[in-house]
Amino acid sequence: MRCIKCPVKASVELRRHNSSFCSPHYLEFVRNQLARNVKRLRMFAPEDRILVAISGGKDSLALWDLLLEAGYSAVGLHIQLGIGEYSVRSAEVSQDFAQSRGAELIEFSLDQELGMGVPLLSRVLRRPPCSGCGLNKRYLFNKIALERGFTVVATGHNLDDEAATLMGNVLRWQREQLARQSPSLESNHPQMVRKVKPLYTLTERETASYCLIRGIDYVVEECPNAKGAHSLLYKDILNRIETESPGTKQQFFQGFLARMRPALQREQTVDLLACEECGQPTTGEVCSYCRMKDRVQNYIAVNAPNGASRRDT
Ligand code: AMP
Ligand code: FES
Ligand code: ZN
Ligand code: ZN
């Protein structure tokens, strides 16, 4: 199999594009995808200050690498979630990448901010770990970006993530979530920063190939809390369909963006208020982050008033 751009043997095959590329032309393909997505959805401009959310996984590190290479001002943000070895390794990999590129990495620890990491938080809230984890990440991305003068937050969500989220939202007909699901979310409140997902047209396999060719070390293991998660089931189902019918995943998500989302968006008339406690946007009086923080502080006051044993076990 040869590269479609030159006579060299291909190293990456993309069935859904009916193409195969040698390594240099594959990197060019990925860079073009990023440039096209950024331009088409007006994600950011060269003068924007981008805060890139870095998990230590292949997608966010590929994104950071691409943005730095393209000359954008892109600072990383890693949130240490306190999920045992997984979090230790994620932080190390993120730090090593930042050091290798001479790039700035902001590090933030949930344990320091909240008094506990994801495992204990899940027990205190009596909710699955991913629920408290997601709430904290969304809130902190926005808050840190605002406080430090970033104009946009970029995450590494890929096509598999977006198609699986869409499947979950459709299976439960979650209209509000569907209306908000977009690779480029404009700010609709003075305290809300724009959010973008510049790699939304690339699959997991494609960002992994990018990292492999670029020699980027990333955390291969999934978060231990993802085991049994619905999103993994949806990804698996979509992959099985994709094997039989290449391009389905892309059609599913792109079709939603082109044909369904505009109609759902027109229906949306939620007015955002400022949270009475922290000033961040919310639909009620107090935002869900502050309500969660109150519960955590109550728990600490009762169970570890001296802060002696607040750490997760
Ligand atoms: P996930 O929800 O784990 O699939 O991650 C989706 C995106 O969120 C990643 O590509 C990152 O951009 C961002 N992200 C996830 N975990 C973290 C973290 N601990 N710190 C900073 N960003 C993160
Ligand atoms: Fe949040 Fe796994 S990364 S629970
Ligand atoms: Zn080639
Ligand atoms: Zn609040």
Side-chain angles (χ1 to χ4, degrees):
M1 197 177 36
R2 305 230 164 266
C3 171
I4 59 161
K5 296 265 183 158
C6 72
V8 172
K9 190 168 168 281
S11 53
V12 185
E13 186 192 6
L14 302 181
R15 281 182 65 208
R16 72 199 168 94
H17 289 293
N18 217 0
S19 315
S20 39
F21 296 103
C22 65
S23 295
H25 279 122
Y26 179 69
L27 296 182
E28 183 184 274
F29 161 80
V30 174
R31 288 178 193 130
N32 288 342
Q33 287 277 312
L34 176 95
R36 207 188 55 179
N37 295 343
V38 169
K39 191 168 170 209
R40 190 185 280 169
L41 298 183
R42 296 200 194 98
M43 292 183 175
F44 40 76
E47 59 274 16
D48 270 299
R49 287 195 67 220
I50 310 170
L51 184 65
V52 197
I54 301 297
S55 62
K58 58 194 178 317
D59 308 309
S60 51
L61 287 177
L63 174 61
W64 200 9
D65 185 59
L66 284 156
L67 292 174
L68 290 171
E69 257 229 310
Y72 285 104
S73 154
V75 170
L77 166 66
H78 177 68
I79 298 177
Q80 293 183 22
L81 301 164
I83 310 174
E85 255 313 295
Y86 170 74
S87 288
V88 173
R89 170 108 176 97
S90 303
E92 274 170 10
V93 162
S94 306
Q95 289 155 0
D96 288 350
F97 180 87
Q99 205 174 22
S100 72
R101 300 296 193 275
E104 187 187 347
L105 176 71
I106 300 171
E107 292 187 75
F108 208 86
S109 149
L110 217 56
D111 197 19
Q112 273 167 22
E113 167 72 12
L114 206 60
M116 63 182 64
V118 165
L120 180 56
L121 179 65
S122 161
R123 292 201 290 278
V124 172
L125 300 179
R126 295 203 188 89
R127 295 191 60 107
C130 302
S131 151
C133 175
L135 171 63
N136 274 278
K137 282 193 286 201
R138 281 191 300 279
Y139 183 88
L140 292 172
F141 292 167
N142 192 60
K143 181 168 171 261
I144 294 169
L146 268 176
E147 283 174 357
R148 304 192 186 207
F150 291 95
T151 47
V152 56
V153 171
T155 54
H157 291 93
N158 57 42
L159 179 59
D160 295 79
D161 297 325
E162 293 304 297
T165 303
L166 177 60
M167 183 176 248
N169 286 338
V170 166
L171 288 175
R172 291 180 204 87
W173 292 119
Q174 289 174 306
R175 283 185 97 101
E176 267 181 44
Q177 278 89 332
L178 283 166
R180 277 204 309 267
Q181 195 183 346
S182 167
S184 183
L185 268 183
E186 283 301 320
S187 160
N188 55 357
H189 187 278
Q191 295 296 306
M192 179 143 13
V193 176
R194 198 171 354 134
K195 314 256 167 10
V196 296
K197 301 169 180 175
L199 300 187
Y200 78 100
T201 52
L202 294 171
T203 63
E204 284 179 0
R205 214 191 106 228
E206 290 159 16
T207 55
S209 301
Y210 177 87
C211 288
L212 195 74
I213 295 172
R214 291 281 292 159
I216 297 173
D217 182 26
Y218 62 87
V219 179
V220 178
E221 317 84 68
E222 288 276 353
C223 164
N225 298 318
K227 234 177 259 157
H230 280 138
S231 57
L232 291 187
L233 172 67
Y234 301 151
K235 280 184 183 177
D236 182 43
I237 291 167
L238 286 162
N239 278 336
R240 280 192 256 161
I241 303 175
E242 185 76 18
T243 307
E244 296 297 320
S245 172
T248 304
K249 222 185 283 180
Q250 186 180 331
Q251 283 158 18
F252 180 47
F253 187 58
Q254 301 280 19
F256 161 73
L257 290 181
R259 292 185 217 131
M260 265 327 280
R261 195 169 173 270
L264 287 164
Q265 234 181 333
R266 277 194 292 275
E267 284 179 16
Q268 243 204 347
T269 53
V270 194
D271 281 331
L272 289 178
L273 309 163
C275 167
E276 284 177 1
E277 289 187 21
C278 72
Q280 294 261 334
T282 176
T283 48
E285 287 172 1
V286 176
C287 76
S288 41
Y289 178 84
C290 287
R291 278 184 275 133
M292 176 228 39
K293 206 168 171 176
D294 286 346
R295 285 180 67 182
V296 166
Q297 280 165 353
N298 285 341
Y299 174 89
I300 292 174
V302 173
N303 294 282
N306 303 319
S309 62
R310 294 184 342 198
R311 301 193 83 83
D312 300 352
T313 45

